[in-house]
Amino acid sequence: MPVIDIHNHFFPQTWPDLAKRYGTPNWPWIKHTEPGKAEIIIGDRFFRHIYSACWDPEVRLQEMDRDGVEMQVLSATPVLFEYDRPVEHALDCARLFNDAALELCTRGKGRLKSFCQVPLQDIDASCTELSRCMRAGHLGVQIGNHVGEKNLDDPGIVTFLHHCANEGAAVLVHPWDMLGQPRMPKYLMPWTVGMPAETQLGIVAMILSGAFDKLPRNLRICFAHGGGSFAFLLGRLENAWQHHPVAHGVCELPPRQYLNRFYVDSAVFDQRALRLLIETMGAERVLLGSDYPFPLGEHGIGSLIRSSRVNDETKSRLLGGNALSYLGLDRAEPVTVKDAPSAIGSPTHSHDDQLTYSSYLKVPELLALQDPQSKPQHHDELLFIIVHQTYELWFKELLHDLDGVVANLQAAEKNPQSHDEVYEAARLLRRCTEITRVLIEQFTILETMLPTHFLAFRGKLEPASGFQSEQFREIEFLCGLKDEKMLRYHRPTPEAYAQLERRLREPSLHDVFFGALRAKGCLHTDVNATEADQFAARARAVLSLYKDEHSNRDWIDVCERLTEFDELVVSWRLRHIQLVERVIGIRMGTGGSAGASYLKLTLDKKFFPELWEARTLLTQ
Ligand code: HEM
């Protein structure tokens, strides 16, 4: 698992004189003092010493190597957000930073990525700049936790966050412009006291205002410095929420229920604080963030996590695994992990960090994943959710096994004399058919729900629809039924969209099966032949296997398993239609289709029509 640092900063080596350009004072600039050393100056006021790691990718890469870090995602320095300037100036400044960041990354040997910045005082300009930056290669955006008097629950900022979700942009919230500064003139207290409070304020504002209720779940947002004081004071927040109507805000759920909606970084510099974060937020929600290369950053990036007593799997998540999903770089991480809720009150590990039944299987996280929408909760909605979740878990296993079948058939293609891979493919296919049998049976449990009971909460589910089951569509694409049009249902979830696009590009099970038969010498096709002739040739190849049963037992077993799988998937479609008719009659679906009559059209779909055609040929 790569080690990825999602919170660190840069400053371009050269910087135009913005005070001169705009005729306004107090712009940041860089003053090089000696080789490899510089100062950031705001107007004529010294702000901070910096060194060449800020602008020189060579130095940065060397230090990353020293600390065992594969990738860093760079952000600008928050004091330069310029949210109080006229928007044209702030936008120009943001563009300079954003383009400079990309330029620096191009010299980073693929190991440096960046977050852009936007003029958050103007939402339209921010959305436009974010879209431009995402197209140009940024992975997301760093924003301040407030714009003047506006907190993150400001409707304009919520609109911007919505846009980030749509663009698939990760958001890093950094505290800045700290409160109470007249009372903290000394001892870096704005950093040590003000910043944690600002970050806590950002999170609490988003929770209590109901911003998380309005924002889509695919928003990936992280709060710097471990979320500031938030985790430590969550109990206080909950206590107020439970006992004081004023503290209740307008959120739909108690505060802790929103912990699965955001990430925090690990920049807390203390083992007990890190442990509290993991136990409060869940190990899936903490990301390596160093604040490098500033003086208050972590010296020895990742050393806090590496020297902690958590097990190796948790370490690897914190060091990089979680960042892959936060940054949208890897959809391979299961949805259950991405959306895992807090483990608060039920630590997933025993006190001495030994594995337990519960920690291994993530039972507390699993049991907290049901989030009924009806209010008051309808009794049958829990069943509805659990049945669907169970289907999705089995779909995940099916994809895992079908990928295994593909890998074995690809190996068989490379080595046509070997039988091992063919046997292994057949064994895994048998598992797929057994799982599908269970999936067909499961519909009966849902049929214990009366149609009236479903209608009592159906309205809450729109516009969600089975059309959006990414894994179901993946199974279809993987087996060879690739229909690009179906991608449109996944536009709201960029990771799912990207994963399905990948499946569209990759060879399907159908492709590799016939590739292996070609390598075995059974299939001879002319690439210039018509599709009908190629289809006939593939069916004849299957026929030839059956005609020499003695020599082809292993391959015939694969053919039989594939046929059975095809047959069972049609049975699944049929049972689903029966369920749909039983529950909603001939009404339209929430996904906008004609409902049962549309679904009936899918009954003719077959993954391996040649296997069926071969049967006709056999009887001729
Ligand atoms: C009350 C129960 C259910 C009803 C009323 C229902 C209804 C529908 C309807 C009407 C559609 C067509 C698309 C649309 O317009 O929304 C559909 C599609 C779909 N449903 Fe269901 N469904 C139910 C349960 C389930 C369950 C338990 C699963 C299990 C995963 C499921 C998976 C799917 C899938 C994968 C599709 C897409 C099928 C395709 O594109 O061929 N549905 N459902």
Side-chain angles (χ1 to χ4, degrees), residues 384 388 391 465-467 472-473 573 576 579-580 589-593:
F384 186 80
H388 279 82
Y391 271 102
S465 150
F467 272 158
F472 179 81
R473 203 61 67 205
R573 294 187 200 274
H576 174 249
L579 166 78
V580 172
T590 44
S593 81

Side-chain angles (χ1 to χ4, degrees), residues 384 387-388 391-392 395 443 446 449 454 458 464-469 472-473 476 486 572-573 576 579-580 583-584 587-596 598-599 602 605:
F384 186 80
V387 167
H388 279 82
Y391 271 102
E392 289 295 334
F395 287 166
F443 284 122
L446 204 50
M449 175 179 68
F454 178 55
R458 187 187 188 218
S465 150
F467 272 158
Q468 292 167 326
S469 168
F472 179 81
R473 203 61 67 205
E476 283 196 339
M486 300 315 273
W572 183 93
R573 294 187 200 274
H576 174 249
L579 166 78
V580 172
V583 179
I584 60 166
R587 275 169 187 253
M588 279 182 68
T590 44
S593 81
Y598 161 78
L599 291 167
T602 65
K605 288 189 179 183

